[in-house]
Amino acid sequence: MNTEEAGAPHRIAVSATGPLAAFNRAGILTAADVHVARRLGALGGEPDEAVQLAVALVVRSVRHGSVVLDLATAAATTSPDDEDDGEESPGPLVVLDWPDPAEWIRRCAASPLTTGPLRMTGSRLWLSRYWEQEQAVAAELLLRAASRPDDLDEPVLAAGLTRLFDEKQYGDQQLAAAVCALSRVGVLAGGPGTGKTTTVSRLLALLREQHPEYRIALAAPTGKAAARLHEAVRSSAADLPTADQARLGDDLRATTLHRLLGWRPDARSRFRHDRNNRLPYEVVIVDESSMVSLTLMARLLEALRPATRLILIGDPDQLASVEAGAVLGDLVDRTRLGRRTPNFTAALARVLPSSDTADAPVTVVDTPTARFRNGVSTLLATRRFAAGGDIAALAGAIRDGEADRAVAVLRSASDVVEFVELADEERAGPEQVEAVRAEVRSVAAEVMAAAAAGDGVGALAGLERHRLLCTHRRGPRGVQLWSDLAAGWIFEDHPVVPRGDGRYAGEPLLVTTNDYESGLYNGDTGVVVQAGDGSLLAVFGRGGDPIPVPLARLGAVRPLYAMTVHRSQGSQFDRVSVLLPAAASSLCTRETLYTAVTRAREHVRVIGSEEALRTAITRPAARATGLRERLMG
């Protein structure tokens, strides 16, 4: 018999017994969690069912993005999940009998597994792989942060900061650039439109002013984010003085982290560049760092030369990586708790413009638009959003957990933000979907007209006008259903006869796995267009001219009519429609809603119940890690 029961809402391990079976059938554990726990128990000589349950729950935690499981609070923090099949969980099917925490901790601590595949400290349990990676990441970051770079002339840096930043208008960015310039590991945090990329382009000009020979790498976790980083740096560099533009030159190209480290077809998490083959760069910039997993960060840090500057850019309030860890969030939180190093503050004061005319040492403090702690700076002033900042106001309310303020913004009858109420148990009817349908049809008309004319640039631009975002893959609020709806609306206006391979001019595409041979990466988006000879080919946006790819060379792609919020990270669209999950869904979190809302430049439409909206805003995603404490020593 198959290990999965057909039609079951969760995968069932039919041969499981005892607590593993009960937790599996309740929707807490999947069959894979159970099989790993039983296998490790057999290999490690551990027959204790309570210990095997703990192992399965640790595996489950990693699947959910957490690195560690606290046995003392596991019963209170664990609930049936819906990430695996994308549908909303109906809740536990049985009453679970959780082990007594004290006795459970004692039995796990005495297990031979905790000296092999597991590690345990107090009541917390790790898989050894992630324990070791946390140790490595913390050790590397603390070692690099222990000493400041000595390669910059401070008076020259001070003059450059004055030249490149208007202190009154861009004092926050000036402070952030100084923080990163004086740090071996710099973190530049902030929400959309706070000027992170502008700050970085000027920072690079400052570094190249004193060291024209410095090799600089720009990278991001996804191809889409890398393309946006490249375009953003190139665009912001155009505003620099001519001499500083020349310093940046034409050699700055952004790539994915996997390609930067050197993808190996024979290894999933190992790369050509490692501790024995370091990256040949003096400066490495990583954008969208909130999406970088613990494993990938460990691989990056071990591949850096000791003197290399690492600058991590990102928004810690966005969704974290789909894999385990929340490194950027841990770094930013650590600095909120930590204390400033006196010698760092003194160096910072010497290079900021206000110190030039002071007879006494200047004390650098947080400002209304920026805050810093040693090598971490956070930009707070938003400059991107249109129409008086309604999107910024909504995003700020969500980020701060203020549900009343967010609801008030959505109900303000603004032309920029819109709330379409839909009860959790209600399927969207004609009234609720009319605005979305009109949006989808309008964008499709633009895309298909450009594609038929062979205009790849126009087709890709049209594709970015509007995006339909879902939290689930399946179910009444999922990508699958809403993709089918959107396709039906489009074909009503534009009947098409697909070719034998199912493709047609104007079909939007989403890459779902990395394809290193064709240069396409998970999350890249493209459009099928008609070539001059009447044949079809796909074009993908990657900054600059579209990348043409013959249809025969396409790897794993699917039609793009809707996408998950997770896949939308690193992207921006003119207009966004967000489908909230039910309030009971484990995906109904603050980070999910914040990430979705901040994908929009001009208009946000939120569809769902007020209960779900309030629940999301007041429920931060729970990711358990031990990195924060390790960084605090």
Side-chain angles (χ1 to χ4, degrees), residues 229-250:
L229 173 62
H230 174 77
E231 284 298 296
V233 169
R234 187 172 69 173
S235 175
S236 61
D239 297 329
L240 293 173
T242 303
D244 291 300
Q245 289 186 40
R247 292 184 177 108
L248 291 184
D250 298 324

Side-chain angles (χ1 to χ4, degrees), residues 68 70 116 196 199 233 240 266 277 295 387 420 502 508 518 535 544 562 578 591 593:
V68 61
D70 191 335
K196 297 188 295 294
T199 303
V233 169
L240 293 173
D266 61 329
N277 180 27
T295 299
V420 179
S518 64
S535 64
V578 184
E591 289 79 2
L593 181 57

Side-chain angles (χ1 to χ4, degrees), residues 527-548:
V527 182
V528 177
V529 300
Q530 186 165 301
D533 60 0
S535 64
L536 299 180
L537 78 158
V539 294
F540 291 85
R542 182 64 65 71
D545 295 332
I547 300 174

Side-chain angles (χ1 to χ4, degrees), residues 309-381:
R309 269 185 181 80
L310 173 64
I311 300 169
L312 303 174
I313 313 170
D315 186 348
D317 297 305
Q318 283 189 28
L319 284 166
S321 166
V322 294
E323 298 180 36
V327 178
L328 183 66
D330 286 340
L331 280 169
V332 174
D333 279 349
R334 176 251 177 178
T335 57
R336 287 173 182 161
L337 298 171
R339 304 176 68 179
R340 296 172 184 161
T341 305
N343 64 351
F344 179 83
T345 305
L348 193 60
R350 288 194 297 271
V351 302
L352 289 175
S354 58
S355 65
D356 294 341
T357 58
D359 296 328
V362 175
T363 300
V364 181
V365 298
D366 292 346
T367 73
T369 56
R371 65 167 71 103
F372 85 97
R373 294 289 190 279
N374 296 332
V376 179
S377 53
T378 304
L379 301 177
L380 303 175

